[in-house]
Amino acid sequence: MNELPPLDERTVELLKLPSTATLTTVLSKKGLWNTFVTGASPVTSVTRMVGQAYTLRYIPSRADLDNSLVFDNTNDPQRIAIEQVGPGDVLVIDARGDERAGTMGNILAARMVARGAEGIVTDGCFRDTPAIANMNIAAYSRSPHASTNKTVHHPVDVQVPVGCGGVSVYPGDILVGDEEGVVVIPRHLADEVAIEAANQEHREDFILARIEAGEPLLGTYPLGEQAQAAYEEYCQENPPPTEK
């Protein structure tokens, strides 16, 4: 399990409010333009995920090392990772975007559920995808593939910086998932990003309601002087989540 202290509960609750789209906007304003994990789509119905990264890195398999389907639960980094993740953790699997084999299957996913893990994210595939789809855990992958991992992947490291869907992920970074996918937040920015994104989501909900009511973009998105005054009045009855 990650040895970092758990995230503040308030930060976790705030990060559950904004969409990943809003989070990417907030992060881009801080100069972080590459934070959305490309190709990681939700597999299960659990699509609100906030957790800290526990990383697993695969390199291409090699016939003399990976020609056996016998797995060593003591030394295999994949099995070590499965037995280490726990509450608040998201297993992030660097599969190099390779879709020619699964990265894990339903038995290992079931073990993660039993350990209380928050989620699984890979830029590769899951096998046993129909079974994983019915599990009570957030899970994101590029596509399904029935072949076992060692036909293509060799697990080599845990808890090292990895790339997942083109994004750098460091152990302890915060991953937030929704119906669209997964965004990665550097851990040291999590508290401030949570506040800014929750407030932005609140403001954009107000803007969207006005646009749906027929208001033009000009003066509404972004808020002009009159619309800003209307938003401030709206906040009196509907305070932003950071003020509740």
Side-chain angles (χ1 to χ4, degrees):
M1 206 178 304
N2 278 328
E3 295 180 359
L4 292 167
L7 274 179
D8 182 88
E9 290 185 11
R10 178 63 170 157
T11 295
V12 172
E13 291 307 309
L14 289 176
L15 286 174
K16 291 179 180 178
L17 300 176
S19 66
T20 53
T22 296
L23 287 165
T24 61
T25 299
V26 170
L27 288 163
S28 69
K29 291 176 180 178
K30 299 181 181 299
L32 294 166
W33 294 93
N34 183 37
T35 57
F36 189 77
V37 180
T38 299
S41 298
V43 172
T44 73
S45 61
V46 183
T47 53
R48 291 304 309 193
M49 176 186 77
V50 179
Q52 60 183 3
Y54 186 106
T55 63
L56 168 63
R57 183 170 71 96
Y58 284 136
I59 62 174
S61 63
R62 206 172 73 181
D64 60 330
L65 297 176
D66 300 299
N67 61 357
S68 171
L69 294 183
V70 177
F71 294 86
D72 183 346
N73 285 322
T74 303
N75 296 311
D76 188 305
Q78 182 209 49
R79 300 305 177 92
I80 291 171
I82 298 299
E83 287 294 335
Q84 287 294 315
V85 293
D89 289 336
V90 175
L91 179 62
V92 181
I93 306 173
D94 173 3
R96 312 171 314 285
D98 196 322
E99 297 181 68
R100 295 176 296 156
T103 57
M104 62 180 293
N106 64 322
I107 293 177
L108 298 187
R111 178 60 181 150
M112 291 183 60
V113 172
R115 288 188 58 79
E118 183 72 16
I120 319 162
V121 177
T122 181
D123 59 357
C125 305
F126 293 137
R127 66 193 307 226
D128 306 314
T129 305
I132 293 175
N134 291 317
M135 292 185 180
N136 185 30
I137 190 171
Y140 296 81
S141 74
R142 188 178 291 266
S143 62
H145 202 294
S147 294
T148 188
N149 66 327
K150 289 192 176 182
T151 59
V152 170
H153 305 298
H154 177 81
V156 67
D157 282 318
V158 297
Q159 289 298 70
V160 296
V162 299
C164 190
V167 180
S168 297
V169 184
Y170 288 77
D173 280 350
I174 305 307
L175 283 87
V176 180
D178 66 4
E179 294 86 352
E180 190 157 33
V182 179
V183 66
V184 180
I185 304 172
R187 189 183 181 94
H188 69 280
L189 294 176
D191 293 340
E192 63 184 88
V193 167
I195 292 170
E196 292 176 30
N199 286 337
Q200 179 171 317
E201 191 84 0
H202 183 268
R203 184 169 58 255
E204 290 190 357
D205 285 345
F206 172 81
I207 291 170
L208 178 61
R210 291 178 72 91
I211 294 296
E212 290 176 337
E215 295 290 331
L217 292 176
L218 183 63
T220 307
Y221 185 51
L223 293 173
E225 185 175 339
Q226 289 185 339
Q228 177 64 35
Y231 174 62
E232 291 173 3
E233 183 177 344
Y234 169 82
C235 288
Q236 297 300 313
E237 296 293 328
N238 304 276
T242 54
E243 296 180 7
K244 294 179 181 178

